[in-house]
mmCIF file of all heavy atoms in Angstrom:
data_model
loop_
_atom_site.group_PDB
_atom_site.id
_atom_site.type_symbol
_atom_site.label_atom_id
_atom_site.label_comp_id
_atom_site.label_asym_id
_atom_site.label_seq_id
_atom_site.Cartn_x
_atom_site.Cartn_y
_atom_site.Cartn_z
ATOM 1 N N GLN G 768 20.937 -12.398 238.157
ATOM 2 C CA GLN G 768 22.156 -12.160 237.401
ATOM 3 C C GLN G 768 22.354 -13.267 236.372
ATOM 4 O O GLN G 768 22.334 -14.456 236.709
ATOM 5 C CB GLN G 768 23.371 -12.095 238.333
ATOM 6 C CG GLN G 768 23.312 -10.984 239.366
ATOM 7 C CD GLN G 768 23.331 -9.607 238.733
ATOM 8 O OE1 GLN G 768 24.143 -9.330 237.839
ATOM 9 N NE2 GLN G 768 22.432 -8.730 239.194
ATOM 10 N N ALA G 769 22.565 -12.879 235.137
ATOM 11 C CA ALA G 769 22.731 -13.861 234.063
ATOM 12 C C ALA G 769 23.994 -14.688 234.282
ATOM 13 O O ALA G 769 25.051 -14.164 234.653
ATOM 14 C CB ALA G 769 22.794 -13.147 232.715
ATOM 15 N N ILE G 770 23.875 -15.987 234.089
ATOM 16 C CA ILE G 770 25.042 -16.871 234.089
ATOM 17 C C ILE G 770 25.036 -17.615 232.762
ATOM 18 O O ILE G 770 23.982 -17.946 232.222
ATOM 19 C CB ILE G 770 25.060 -17.850 235.278
ATOM 20 C CG1 ILE G 770 23.806 -18.719 235.308
ATOM 21 C CG2 ILE G 770 25.191 -17.105 236.590
ATOM 22 C CD1 ILE G 770 23.852 -19.782 236.398
ATOM 23 N N ASP G 771 26.217 -17.880 232.258
ATOM 24 C CA ASP G 771 26.305 -18.421 230.904
ATOM 25 C C ASP G 771 27.055 -19.740 230.844
ATOM 26 O O ASP G 771 27.579 -20.121 229.802
ATOM 27 C CB ASP G 771 26.977 -17.414 229.968
ATOM 28 C CG ASP G 771 28.427 -17.142 230.350
ATOM 29 O OD1 ASP G 771 28.826 -17.528 231.484
ATOM 30 O OD2 ASP G 771 29.165 -16.556 229.538
ATOM 31 N N MET G 772 27.116 -20.452 232.001
ATOM 32 C CA MET G 772 27.708 -21.788 231.947
ATOM 33 C C MET G 772 26.905 -22.735 232.827
ATOM 34 O O MET G 772 26.298 -22.307 233.821
ATOM 35 C CB MET G 772 29.173 -21.771 232.353
ATOM 36 C CG MET G 772 29.476 -21.571 233.811
ATOM 37 S SD MET G 772 31.244 -21.810 234.133
ATOM 38 C CE MET G 772 31.285 -21.643 235.908
ATOM 39 N N PRO G 773 26.888 -24.007 232.461
ATOM 40 C CA PRO G 773 26.034 -24.979 233.163
ATOM 41 C C PRO G 773 26.667 -25.525 234.432
ATOM 42 O O PRO G 773 26.874 -26.729 234.593
ATOM 43 C CB PRO G 773 25.823 -26.067 232.108
ATOM 44 C CG PRO G 773 27.058 -26.020 231.276
ATOM 45 C CD PRO G 773 27.479 -24.584 231.242
ATOM 46 N N TRP G 774 26.958 -24.648 235.363
ATOM 47 C CA TRP G 774 27.533 -25.053 236.639
ATOM 48 C C TRP G 774 27.202 -24.012 237.691
ATOM 49 O O TRP G 774 27.283 -22.802 237.444
ATOM 50 C CB TRP G 774 29.058 -25.200 236.538
ATOM 51 C CG TRP G 774 29.686 -25.593 237.852
ATOM 52 C CD1 TRP G 774 30.175 -24.759 238.808
ATOM 53 C CD2 TRP G 774 29.837 -26.921 238.358
ATOM 54 N NE1 TRP G 774 30.651 -25.483 239.877
ATOM 55 C CE2 TRP G 774 30.451 -26.815 239.638
ATOM 56 C CE3 TRP G 774 29.527 -28.181 237.869
ATOM 57 C CZ2 TRP G 774 30.743 -27.933 240.414
ATOM 58 C CZ3 TRP G 774 29.832 -29.298 238.642
ATOM 59 C CH2 TRP G 774 30.430 -29.168 239.896
ATOM 60 N N VAL G 775 26.831 -24.485 238.889
ATOM 61 C CA VAL G 775 26.654 -23.603 240.040
ATOM 62 C C VAL G 775 27.273 -24.279 241.256
ATOM 63 O O VAL G 775 27.232 -25.505 241.397
ATOM 64 C CB VAL G 775 25.169 -23.303 240.322
ATOM 65 C CG1 VAL G 775 24.593 -22.361 239.286
ATOM 66 C CG2 VAL G 775 24.344 -24.576 240.404
ATOM 67 N N TRP G 776 27.857 -23.449 242.129
ATOM 68 C CA TRP G 776 28.404 -23.961 243.370
ATOM 69 C C TRP G 776 27.303 -24.023 244.419
ATOM 70 O O TRP G 776 26.479 -23.105 244.531
ATOM 71 C CB TRP G 776 29.559 -23.095 243.856
ATOM 72 C CG TRP G 776 30.732 -23.148 242.934
ATOM 73 C CD1 TRP G 776 31.093 -22.221 242.006
ATOM 74 C CD2 TRP G 776 31.679 -24.213 242.821
ATOM 75 N NE1 TRP G 776 32.214 -22.637 241.324
ATOM 76 C CE2 TRP G 776 32.602 -23.860 241.798
ATOM 77 C CE3 TRP G 776 31.847 -25.434 243.472
ATOM 78 C CZ2 TRP G 776 33.669 -24.681 241.433
ATOM 79 C CZ3 TRP G 776 32.916 -26.255 243.114
ATOM 80 C CH2 TRP G 776 33.807 -25.871 242.109
ATOM 81 N N LEU G 777 27.293 -25.104 245.178
ATOM 82 C CA LEU G 777 26.252 -25.294 246.179
ATOM 83 C C LEU G 777 26.246 -24.151 247.187
ATOM 84 O O LEU G 777 25.180 -23.723 247.649
ATOM 85 C CB LEU G 777 26.466 -26.637 246.885
ATOM 86 C CG LEU G 777 25.312 -27.152 247.740
ATOM 87 C CD1 LEU G 777 24.061 -27.363 246.906
ATOM 88 C CD2 LEU G 777 25.714 -28.446 248.437
ATOM 89 N N ALA G 778 27.398 -23.636 247.530
ATOM 90 C CA ALA G 778 27.473 -22.543 248.502
ATOM 91 C C ALA G 778 26.707 -21.314 248.030
ATOM 92 O O ALA G 778 26.189 -20.540 248.843
ATOM 93 C CB ALA G 778 28.932 -22.179 248.765
ATOM 94 N N ASP G 779 26.613 -21.125 246.721
ATOM 95 C CA ASP G 779 25.892 -19.980 246.179
ATOM 96 C C ASP G 779 24.387 -20.191 246.171
ATOM 97 O O ASP G 779 23.625 -19.259 245.890
ATOM 98 C CB ASP G 779 26.365 -19.682 244.761
ATOM 99 C CG ASP G 779 27.799 -19.192 244.723
ATOM 100 O OD1 ASP G 779 28.241 -18.582 245.720
ATOM 101 O OD2 ASP G 779 28.485 -19.422 243.714
ATOM 102 N N LEU G 780 23.968 -21.434 246.452
ATOM 103 C CA LEU G 780 22.541 -21.752 246.446
ATOM 104 C C LEU G 780 21.970 -21.901 247.846
ATOM 105 O O LEU G 780 20.749 -21.943 248.012
ATOM 106 C CB LEU G 780 22.294 -23.063 245.677
ATOM 107 C CG LEU G 780 22.797 -23.113 244.241
ATOM 108 C CD1 LEU G 780 22.514 -24.492 243.651
ATOM 109 C CD2 LEU G 780 22.160 -22.022 243.386
ATOM 110 N N LYS G 781 22.817 -22.021 248.849
ATOM 111 C CA LYS G 781 22.350 -22.322 250.191
ATOM 112 C C LYS G 781 21.774 -21.110 250.926
ATOM 113 O O LYS G 781 21.387 -21.203 252.071
ATOM 114 C CB LYS G 781 23.498 -22.923 251.011
ATOM 115 C CG LYS G 781 23.734 -24.400 250.722
ATOM 116 C CD LYS G 781 22.538 -25.242 251.125
ATOM 117 C CE LYS G 781 22.801 -26.728 251.006
ATOM 118 N NZ LYS G 781 23.587 -27.290 252.082
ATOM 119 N N LYS G 782 21.735 -19.985 250.277
ATOM 120 C CA LYS G 782 20.987 -18.862 250.838
ATOM 121 C C LYS G 782 19.600 -18.903 250.198
ATOM 122 O O LYS G 782 19.191 -19.896 249.618
ATOM 123 C CB LYS G 782 21.705 -17.558 250.516
ATOM 124 C CG LYS G 782 22.041 -17.417 249.025
ATOM 125 C CD LYS G 782 22.907 -16.211 248.758
ATOM 126 C CE LYS G 782 23.276 -16.137 247.272
ATOM 127 N NZ LYS G 782 24.133 -14.994 246.960
ATOM 128 N N GLU G 783 18.832 -17.858 250.352
ATOM 129 C CA GLU G 783 17.535 -17.764 249.672
ATOM 130 C C GLU G 783 17.825 -17.424 248.218
ATOM 131 O O GLU G 783 18.082 -16.266 247.871
ATOM 132 C CB GLU G 783 16.675 -16.685 250.321
ATOM 133 C CG GLU G 783 15.265 -16.611 249.793
ATOM 134 C CD GLU G 783 14.327 -17.601 250.478
ATOM 135 O OE1 GLU G 783 14.756 -18.223 251.463
ATOM 136 O OE2 GLU G 783 13.195 -17.737 250.028
ATOM 137 N N SER G 784 17.818 -18.441 247.352
ATOM 138 C CA SER G 784 18.277 -18.248 245.987
ATOM 139 C C SER G 784 17.231 -18.686 244.977
ATOM 140 O O SER G 784 16.382 -19.532 245.263
ATOM 141 C CB SER G 784 19.568 -19.046 245.741
ATOM 142 O OG SER G 784 20.596 -18.610 246.600
ATOM 143 N N THR G 785 17.351 -18.116 243.781
ATOM 144 C CA THR G 785 16.468 -18.486 242.681
ATOM 145 C C THR G 785 17.293 -18.678 241.420
ATOM 146 O O THR G 785 18.085 -17.807 241.039
ATOM 147 C CB THR G 785 15.404 -17.401 242.416
ATOM 148 O OG1 THR G 785 14.595 -17.247 243.582
ATOM 149 C CG2 THR G 785 14.521 -17.789 241.246
ATOM 150 N N LEU G 786 17.133 -19.831 240.813
ATOM 151 C CA LEU G 786 17.675 -20.074 239.477
ATOM 152 C C LEU G 786 16.524 -19.906 238.498
ATOM 153 O O LEU G 786 15.528 -20.648 238.568
ATOM 154 C CB LEU G 786 18.253 -21.487 239.369
ATOM 155 C CG LEU G 786 19.716 -21.695 239.708
ATOM 156 C CD1 LEU G 786 20.067 -23.178 239.649
ATOM 157 C CD2 LEU G 786 20.620 -20.913 238.768
ATOM 158 N N GLY G 787 16.650 -18.938 237.619
ATOM 159 C CA GLY G 787 15.586 -18.667 236.673
ATOM 160 C C GLY G 787 15.930 -19.183 235.292
ATOM 161 O O GLY G 787 16.862 -18.678 234.648
ATOM 162 N N PHE G 788 15.212 -20.206 234.852
ATOM 163 C CA PHE G 788 15.418 -20.802 233.537
ATOM 164 C C PHE G 788 14.398 -20.238 232.551
ATOM 165 O O PHE G 788 13.208 -20.123 232.870
ATOM 166 C CB PHE G 788 15.207 -22.319 233.575
ATOM 167 C CG PHE G 788 16.183 -23.091 234.408
ATOM 168 C CD1 PHE G 788 16.058 -23.128 235.795
ATOM 169 C CD2 PHE G 788 17.212 -23.806 233.821
ATOM 170 C CE1 PHE G 788 16.931 -23.872 236.566
ATOM 171 C CE2 PHE G 788 18.098 -24.549 234.588
ATOM 172 C CZ PHE G 788 17.963 -24.582 235.966
ATOM 173 N N ALA G 789 14.837 -19.937 231.361
ATOM 174 C CA ALA G 789 13.935 -19.721 230.238
ATOM 175 C C ALA G 789 14.143 -20.897 229.302
ATOM 176 O O ALA G 789 15.247 -21.104 228.771
ATOM 177 C CB ALA G 789 14.236 -18.405 229.525
ATOM 178 N N LEU G 790 13.118 -21.722 229.132
ATOM 179 C CA LEU G 790 13.229 -22.957 228.358
ATOM 180 C C LEU G 790 12.450 -22.846 227.059
ATOM 181 O O LEU G 790 11.503 -22.057 226.933
ATOM 182 C CB LEU G 790 12.712 -24.142 229.168
ATOM 183 C CG LEU G 790 13.386 -24.412 230.508
ATOM 184 C CD1 LEU G 790 12.772 -25.644 231.174
ATOM 185 C CD2 LEU G 790 14.885 -24.586 230.349
ATOM 186 N N GLY G 791 12.848 -23.656 226.099
ATOM 187 C CA GLY G 791 12.158 -23.660 224.817
ATOM 188 C C GLY G 791 12.278 -24.992 224.124
ATOM 189 O O GLY G 791 12.990 -25.895 224.570
ATOM 190 N N THR G 792 11.580 -25.118 223.006
ATOM 191 C CA THR G 792 11.566 -26.374 222.245
ATOM 192 C C THR G 792 12.708 -26.458 221.244
ATOM 193 O O THR G 792 12.971 -27.529 220.697
ATOM 194 C CB THR G 792 10.244 -26.536 221.499
ATOM 195 O OG1 THR G 792 10.052 -25.405 220.623
ATOM 196 C CG2 THR G 792 9.071 -26.618 222.471
ATOM 197 N N GLY G 793 13.393 -25.353 220.987
ATOM 198 C CA GLY G 793 14.477 -25.347 220.011
ATOM 199 C C GLY G 793 15.827 -25.221 220.669
ATOM 200 O O GLY G 793 15.983 -24.588 221.726
ATOM 201 N N GLU G 794 16.843 -25.823 220.039
ATOM 202 C CA GLU G 794 18.204 -25.725 220.558
ATOM 203 C C GLU G 794 18.641 -24.271 220.658
ATOM 204 O O GLU G 794 18.321 -23.449 219.820
ATOM 205 C CB GLU G 794 19.174 -26.487 219.650
ATOM 206 C CG GLU G 794 19.048 -27.990 219.708
ATOM 207 C CD GLU G 794 20.117 -28.679 218.866
ATOM 208 O OE1 GLU G 794 21.026 -27.976 218.382
ATOM 209 O OE2 GLU G 794 20.025 -29.900 218.686
ATOM 210 N N SER G 795 19.397 -24.015 221.714
ATOM 211 C CA SER G 795 19.943 -22.688 221.937
ATOM 212 C C SER G 795 21.455 -22.799 222.035
ATOM 213 O O SER G 795 21.995 -23.869 222.334
ATOM 214 C CB SER G 795 19.359 -22.109 223.229
ATOM 215 O OG SER G 795 20.195 -21.124 223.777
ATOM 216 N N GLN G 796 22.138 -21.731 221.798
ATOM 217 C CA GLN G 796 23.598 -21.725 221.924
ATOM 218 C C GLN G 796 24.036 -21.279 223.315
ATOM 219 O O GLN G 796 25.214 -20.983 223.540
ATOM 220 C CB GLN G 796 24.202 -20.798 220.857
ATOM 221 C CG GLN G 796 23.946 -21.252 219.437
ATOM 222 C CD GLN G 796 24.576 -22.602 219.150
ATOM 223 O OE1 GLN G 796 25.788 -22.758 219.193
ATOM 224 N NE2 GLN G 796 23.742 -23.590 218.850
ATOM 225 N N TRP G 797 23.087 -21.245 224.255
ATOM 226 C CA TRP G 797 23.440 -20.856 225.619
ATOM 227 C C TRP G 797 24.547 -21.774 226.156
ATOM 228 O O TRP G 797 24.470 -22.997 226.051
ATOM 229 C CB TRP G 797 22.220 -20.951 226.528
ATOM 230 C CG TRP G 797 22.540 -20.658 227.971
ATOM 231 C CD1 TRP G 797 22.618 -19.440 228.556
ATOM 232 C CD2 TRP G 797 22.848 -21.610 228.988
ATOM 233 N NE1 TRP G 797 22.964 -19.566 229.878
ATOM 234 C CE2 TRP G 797 23.114 -20.897 230.176
ATOM 235 C CE3 TRP G 797 22.946 -23.006 228.998
ATOM 236 C CZ2 TRP G 797 23.457 -21.515 231.365
ATOM 237 C CZ3 TRP G 797 23.287 -23.635 230.183
ATOM 238 C CH2 TRP G 797 23.536 -22.896 231.360
ATOM 239 N N GLY G 798 25.574 -21.177 226.721
ATOM 240 C CA GLY G 798 26.659 -21.935 227.327
ATOM 241 C C GLY G 798 27.719 -22.419 226.362
ATOM 242 O O GLY G 798 28.651 -23.119 226.777
ATOM 243 N N LYS G 799 27.660 -22.053 225.093
ATOM 244 C CA LYS G 799 28.585 -22.624 224.108
ATOM 245 C C LYS G 799 30.032 -22.194 224.334
ATOM 246 O O LYS G 799 30.965 -22.893 223.911
ATOM 247 C CB LYS G 799 28.154 -22.247 222.698
ATOM 248 C CG LYS G 799 28.275 -20.783 222.336
ATOM 249 C CD LYS G 799 27.776 -20.512 220.924
ATOM 250 C CE LYS G 799 27.872 -19.044 220.559
ATOM 251 N NZ LYS G 799 29.273 -18.555 220.536
ATOM 252 N N ASP G 800 30.241 -21.087 225.001
ATOM 253 C CA ASP G 800 31.609 -20.597 225.217
ATOM 254 C C ASP G 800 32.128 -20.857 226.625
ATOM 255 O O ASP G 800 33.097 -20.229 227.062
ATOM 256 C CB ASP G 800 31.658 -19.087 224.931
ATOM 257 C CG ASP G 800 31.298 -18.743 223.498
ATOM 258 O OD1 ASP G 800 31.693 -19.515 222.595
ATOM 259 O OD2 ASP G 800 30.615 -17.727 223.290
ATOM 260 N N SER G 801 31.491 -21.795 227.336
ATOM 261 C CA SER G 801 31.824 -21.965 228.749
ATOM 262 C C SER G 801 32.721 -23.159 229.047
ATOM 263 O O SER G 801 33.106 -23.364 230.197
ATOM 264 C CB SER G 801 30.526 -22.122 229.559
ATOM 265 O OG SER G 801 29.833 -23.305 229.179
ATOM 266 N N ALA G 802 33.073 -23.942 228.049
ATOM 267 C CA ALA G 802 33.771 -25.204 228.311
ATOM 268 C C ALA G 802 35.055 -25.003 229.106
ATOM 269 O O ALA G 802 35.343 -25.755 230.052
ATOM 270 C CB ALA G 802 34.067 -25.924 226.996
ATOM 271 N N ALA G 803 35.821 -24.010 228.756
ATOM 272 C CA ALA G 803 37.122 -23.806 229.408
ATOM 273 C C ALA G 803 36.977 -23.341 230.848
ATOM 274 O O ALA G 803 37.925 -23.450 231.636
ATOM 275 C CB ALA G 803 37.949 -22.793 228.617
ATOM 276 N N ARG G 804 35.800 -22.848 231.219
ATOM 277 C CA ARG G 804 35.594 -22.333 232.575
ATOM 278 C C ARG G 804 34.917 -23.339 233.491
ATOM 279 O O ARG G 804 34.771 -23.086 234.689
ATOM 280 C CB ARG G 804 34.768 -21.042 232.510
ATOM 281 C CG ARG G 804 35.527 -19.889 231.884
ATOM 282 C CD ARG G 804 34.677 -18.628 231.799
ATOM 283 N NE ARG G 804 33.693 -18.708 230.710
ATOM 284 C CZ ARG G 804 32.384 -18.612 230.867
ATOM 285 N NH1 ARG G 804 31.875 -18.451 232.084
ATOM 286 N NH2 ARG G 804 31.573 -18.670 229.833
ATOM 287 N N MET G 805 34.485 -24.459 232.943
ATOM 288 C CA MET G 805 33.846 -25.471 233.785
ATOM 289 C C MET G 805 34.872 -26.095 234.721
ATOM 290 O O MET G 805 36.032 -26.306 234.347
ATOM 291 C CB MET G 805 33.214 -26.549 232.908
ATOM 292 C CG MET G 805 32.042 -26.057 232.078
ATOM 293 S SD MET G 805 30.581 -25.698 233.081
ATOM 294 C CE MET G 805 29.989 -27.364 233.399
ATOM 295 N N PRO G 806 34.484 -26.404 235.951
ATOM 296 C CA PRO G 806 35.469 -26.953 236.908
ATOM 297 C C PRO G 806 35.983 -28.315 236.460
ATOM 298 O O PRO G 806 35.220 -29.170 235.990
ATOM 299 C CB PRO G 806 34.667 -27.062 238.205
ATOM 300 C CG PRO G 806 33.247 -27.101 237.784
ATOM 301 C CD PRO G 806 33.144 -26.276 236.545
ATOM 302 N N SER G 807 37.265 -28.495 236.580
ATOM 303 C CA SER G 807 37.899 -29.767 236.253
ATOM 304 C C SER G 807 39.141 -29.877 237.119
ATOM 305 O O SER G 807 39.858 -28.895 237.304
ATOM 306 C CB SER G 807 38.260 -29.819 234.763
ATOM 307 O OG SER G 807 38.754 -31.089 234.408
ATOM 308 N N PHE G 808 39.378 -31.068 237.655
ATOM 309 C CA PHE G 808 40.410 -31.226 238.673
ATOM 310 C C PHE G 808 41.540 -32.100 238.161
ATOM 311 O O PHE G 808 41.860 -33.143 238.726
ATOM 312 C CB PHE G 808 39.785 -31.799 239.946
ATOM 313 C CG PHE G 808 38.813 -30.857 240.606
ATOM 314 C CD1 PHE G 808 37.500 -30.764 240.148
ATOM 315 C CD2 PHE G 808 39.202 -30.049 241.652
ATOM 316 C CE1 PHE G 808 36.599 -29.894 240.738
ATOM 317 C CE2 PHE G 808 38.305 -29.174 242.251
ATOM 318 C CZ PHE G 808 36.995 -29.093 241.791
ATOM 319 N N GLY G 809 42.145 -31.645 237.078
ATOM 320 C CA GLY G 809 43.312 -32.336 236.551
ATOM 321 C C GLY G 809 44.589 -31.764 237.131
ATOM 322 O O GLY G 809 44.577 -30.972 238.081
#
Side-chain angles (χ1 to χ4, degrees):
Q768 299 295 314
I770 58 175
D771 64 346
M772 73 172 184
W774 179 268
V775 287
W776 294 101
L777 193 61
D779 293 331
L780 304 178
K781 280 296 187 78
K782 51 188 177 181
E783 186 85 8
S784 299
T785 299
L786 270 175
F788 295 78
L790 302 181
T792 58
E794 289 185 8
S795 156
Q796 297 298 297
W797 176 84
K799 68 182 179 64
D800 298 322
S801 64
R804 291 179 284 121
M805 293 289 284
S807 186
F808 294 82

